[in-house]
Amino acid sequence: MIGEVYTQLEKIRDFFYGLAEVRDRLREAGVTWPKPLPEAEVGTVRVKIGLPAMLRRGVIMDVTNVEQAQIAEEAGAVGVMVLDKLPYDVRKAGGVARMADVKVIEEVMSHITIPVSAKVRIGHYYEAVILQEIGVDLIDESEVLTPVDEQHHINKWAFAVPFVNGCRELCEALRRISEGASMIRSKGEAGTGNVSEAVKHFKALYGAIEELSAALRAGDEEKIRDYARRCQAPIELTALTARLGRLPVVTFAAGGIATPADAALMMWLGADGIFVGSGIFKSQDPRERAEAIVLATAYWDDPEKVVEAQRMVSEKSAMMGIDIKTLKPEELLQVRGV
Amino acid sequence: MKAGVLALQGDVEEHIQAFKKAAQELGISIEVIQVKKPQDLKEIATLAIPGGESTTIGALAKRTGLLDALRDAIKEGLPTLGTCAGAIFLAKEVRDSVVGETKQPILGLMDIAVVRNAFGRQRESFEVDLQVGELGTVRAVFIRAPAFIKAWGDARLAAPLKHPELGQIYAAAFQGHMVATAFHPELSTTVVHKYMLNLAKK
């Protein structure tokens, strides 16, 4: 009896070794991964931080369907972010907010030519695997959705697709970059139409970088080392940030941007580009507003053009907005995942 | 000498750095300016149109009157480099691999046909060592890159690649004072920017 079980086990073992051999042969023949060229390297760091670099001075817009995605593309967006619900509606709806419908994401991908992003819950490795598998261009590990892991974010080095993560200050940004984020955005307070938190986050980010840069110029390496230790971030990354005087990856503003003036303000504060969430499709004039925000982002340093952009929209049509002071602490999205 | 980078959208800073580094290697002094208004074009000896989203760059250029000014300046002989989105912007024929015909505003100056997003999505973006005509071997970074499939008139294709579906395609094109690359030289090399500065000196 024992002998028979042993024989069966040996058969199973042989079967799996056989499978492994087939897999290796296919891999050698280049069948498992659709490489465009045999000698080409996909998913390299240069390629992963390269995409966000191409999005600079651009606007990425939240959309929930193909029609909205097409409006965004026509208005000059550099990308869209597909969600199940806009952050404003996530707030209203309550419950657990998850990754968008795969079918909707795929439909959007087949109708527009600009990059398509989608959000996954913080720590949800498998939502990210699914998005990579269907071919999403950029993954946002976002506090707007309900986090699934209170302790850990996704290990983003394991993916060929670049990730964007939110931050409220420099320590958080450095931790996300050390986990493999290719792009950083401010958390702001999504779905409020109130840009005040994004402003706070950008000032905190650049204030800390300026202090570190000053320390480096003064030769105070101890301060850099202490800061890195306190942040639980790699010293090399902290020192690089101090030397550059900015984060080593592209940094976008997000959270509450609702008008062209909001977008121009965030660019003036040092943002490389803009995410607009509920601000466009929760307004009465989404087409004009989308175009105007694109114009104000590209020409933020030209007041004449920002005025032109601001004239394209009416304050009466802007999204209503929520004052952050009226939100209960448990209703804040920005505190999720540190 | 002044070099310009079209600064509506895209990786403008990377091109500014590449121009500065190229000038340093050539031992010439240059100033690099951001081109955002028609009058900026009068100051510069060479122009780079960066990578980014060609639809965004086109829409903005059309809105601000820069489209016609750019076309005139390049027609009059301004040495111009277009990388990725910039190459799409320069080409006469543009098609997208997913949605087919596009109505996006373009300059339409180079006698080349371009397929947008020819290699697939970001997941399929790649880097590879590539022979780019007389410029030699460069490490070429392709990000949701286009491919050149045809040239006519004075345009000449370079940097051939075998594409699994499109067959023989090309990643660079030269036409007089215009250069187009499907990849991003600004991310990995200065040879292309040096070539542009040499064109500008003539």
Side-chain angles (χ1 to χ4, degrees):
Chain A
M1 192 62 194
I2 299 271
E4 198 179 312
V5 170
Y6 194 71
T7 322
Q8 297 299 339
L9 282 175
E10 275 188 335
K11 277 184 190 159
I12 292 172
R13 187 202 60 194
D14 290 347
F15 173 74
F16 279 106
Y17 273 121
L19 271 186
E21 269 172 34
V22 170
R23 187 198 61 198
D24 289 347
R25 269 209 304 279
L26 285 176
R27 202 174 271 170
E28 268 170 35
V31 176
T32 48
W33 196 253
K35 279 192 179 181
L37 299 159
E39 68 277 22
E41 283 185 80
V42 296
T44 60
V45 169
R46 200 143 48 180
V47 160
K48 281 167 69 177
I49 61 169
L51 173 79
M54 300 309 144
L55 304 177
R56 273 185 170 178
R57 295 155 192 254
V59 183
I60 299 178
M61 300 180 189
D62 279 3
V63 299
T64 57
N65 56 45
V66 172
E67 292 73 47
Q68 290 180 351
Q70 283 171 333
I71 291 173
E73 182 174 45
E74 281 163 26
V78 293
V80 296
M81 174 81 69
V82 187
L83 287 102
D84 178 47
K85 292 186 215 56
L86 295 174
Y88 183 83
D89 294 321
V90 168
R91 242 174 228 297
K92 289 263 137 81
V96 174
R98 308 183 185 93
M99 175 182 96
D101 207 323
V102 167
K103 289 192 286 289
V104 175
I105 300 171
E106 285 178 323
E107 209 188 340
V108 169
M109 286 195 300
S110 62
H111 279 84
I112 60 172
T113 64
I114 56 178
V116 176
S117 326
K119 288 186 192 287
V120 297
R121 287 177 261 177
I122 290 173
H124 205 312
Y125 175 79
Y126 244 90
E127 283 186 346
V129 168
I130 289 167
L131 291 188
Q132 170 157 294
E133 193 62 28
I134 64 174
V136 164
D137 298 297
L138 175 72
I139 297 175
D140 186 355
E141 188 177 17
S142 174
E143 67 284 355
V144 170
L145 307 184
T146 315
V148 296
D149 190 332
E150 299 292 339
Q151 307 299 325
H152 306 99
H153 282 67
I154 297 169
N155 171 18
K156 293 159 274 281
W157 297 114
F159 289 81
V161 170
F163 272 70
V164 55
N165 275 89
C167 81
R168 289 182 296 166
E169 38 80 42
L170 181 58
C171 287
E172 220 178 332
L174 294 174
R175 285 197 295 274
R176 295 297 90 78
I177 297 169
S178 71
E179 292 159 5
S182 305
M183 179 178 184
I184 291 293
R185 56 169 173 76
S186 57
K187 279 186 169 172
E189 190 55 38
T192 59
N194 186 342
V195 77
S196 68
E197 292 299 292
V199 168
K200 198 197 279 177
H201 298 166
F202 255 82
K203 288 199 167 170
L205 188 63
Y206 274 94
I209 294 175
E210 189 39 56
E211 261 182 51
L212 288 182
S213 294
L216 192 71
R217 280 194 299 274
D220 188 356
E221 282 183 24
E222 200 59 33
K223 183 163 180 178
I224 309 255
R225 210 186 313 277
D226 277 349
Y227 192 84
R229 197 178 295 133
R230 212 165 51 241
C231 288
Q232 298 175 294
I235 172 110
E236 297 81 4
L237 180 60
T238 311
L240 176 64
T241 303
R243 193 155 57 85
L244 293 173
R246 56 157 294 148
L247 287 179
V249 298
V250 164
T251 312
F252 270 40
I257 294 156
T259 69
D262 287 349
L265 172 69
M266 296 314 298
M267 294 299 286
W268 179 70
L269 286 174
D272 291 310
I274 302 289
F275 280 98
V276 188
S278 318
I280 289 173
F281 292 104
K282 280 288 151 190
S283 73
Q284 309 295 315
D285 52 359
R287 274 177 202 277
E288 294 79 10
R289 192 163 294 263
E291 254 182 66
I293 291 178
V294 168
L295 182 64
T297 302
Y299 281 92
W300 64 273
D301 53 352
D302 181 347
E304 223 175 275
K305 283 278 189 302
V306 179
V307 171
E308 186 187 328
Q310 195 69 15
R311 273 203 195 105
M312 290 160 69
V313 298
S314 159
E315 179 52 23
K316 290 186 174 52
S317 307
M319 76 177 281
M320 190 55 192
I322 302 169
D323 186 352
I324 284 138
K325 293 197 188 70
T326 65
L327 290 174
K328 297 192 198 80
E330 65 269 24
E331 290 175 331
L332 290 176
L333 301 177
Q334 57 175 286
V335 296
R336 295 164 155 186
V338 292
Chain B
M1 184 197 298
K2 269 190 187 175
V5 180
L6 185 66
L8 299 179
Q9 193 274 317
D11 68 332
V12 178
E13 283 74 8
E14 284 76 358
H15 274 282
I16 293 174
Q17 284 309 317
F19 264 136
K20 284 183 179 167
K21 217 169 145 206
Q24 204 178 14
E25 286 168 15
L26 289 174
I28 56 174
S29 76
I30 61 159
E31 188 191 334
V32 191
I33 66 161
Q34 299 191 13
V35 174
K36 290 183 117 168
K37 289 180 172 164
Q39 58 264 39
D40 297 334
L41 288 164
K42 296 197 171 62
E43 298 182 37
I44 55 173
T46 177
L47 174 73
I49 306 176
E53 282 307 313
S54 58
T55 47
T56 308
I57 296 172
L60 281 165
K62 199 175 164 193
R63 166 174 283 282
T64 59
L66 205 48
L67 192 67
D68 294 331
L70 270 171
R71 194 179 287 130
D72 291 344
I74 300 170
K75 263 189 191 165
E76 279 164 28
L78 176 66
T80 302
L81 164 68
T83 64
C84 196
I88 295 164
F89 203 41
L90 281 173
K92 274 190 180 154
E93 272 181 31
V94 179
R95 194 168 63 78
D96 185 83
S97 65
V98 179
V99 302
E101 291 298 312
T102 61
K103 289 171 290 181
Q104 62 186 103
I106 51 171
L107 291 170
L109 291 170
M110 281 184 86
D111 297 328
I112 51 174
V114 176
V115 180
R116 290 185 58 194
N117 301 327
F119 299 92
R121 307 200 67 92
Q122 171 61 16
R123 189 180 59 187
E124 281 87 45
S125 294
F126 62 97
E127 47 181 291
V128 70
D129 289 324
L130 199 63
Q131 180 70 33
V132 187
E134 67 265 35
L135 301 182
T137 304
V138 300
R139 187 69 178 168
V141 184
F142 291 77
I143 296 169
R144 285 169 50 89
F148 309 139
I149 51 169
K150 206 171 63 178
W152 57 94
D154 297 333
R156 162 171 73 80
L157 296 173
L161 281 171
K162 280 263 183 293
H163 188 281
E165 283 145 39
L166 298 170
Q168 185 70 67
I169 53 119
Y170 298 84
F174 296 82
Q175 181 176 350
H177 60 287
M178 295 181 282
V179 180
T181 63
F183 56 93
H184 293 278
E186 74 278 13
L187 296 183
S188 60
T189 174
T190 53
V191 293
V192 182
H193 291 80
K194 277 195 260 189
Y195 181 83
M196 297 313 298
L197 290 175
N198 283 327
L199 272 184
K201 279 195 291 191
K202 278 171 196 165

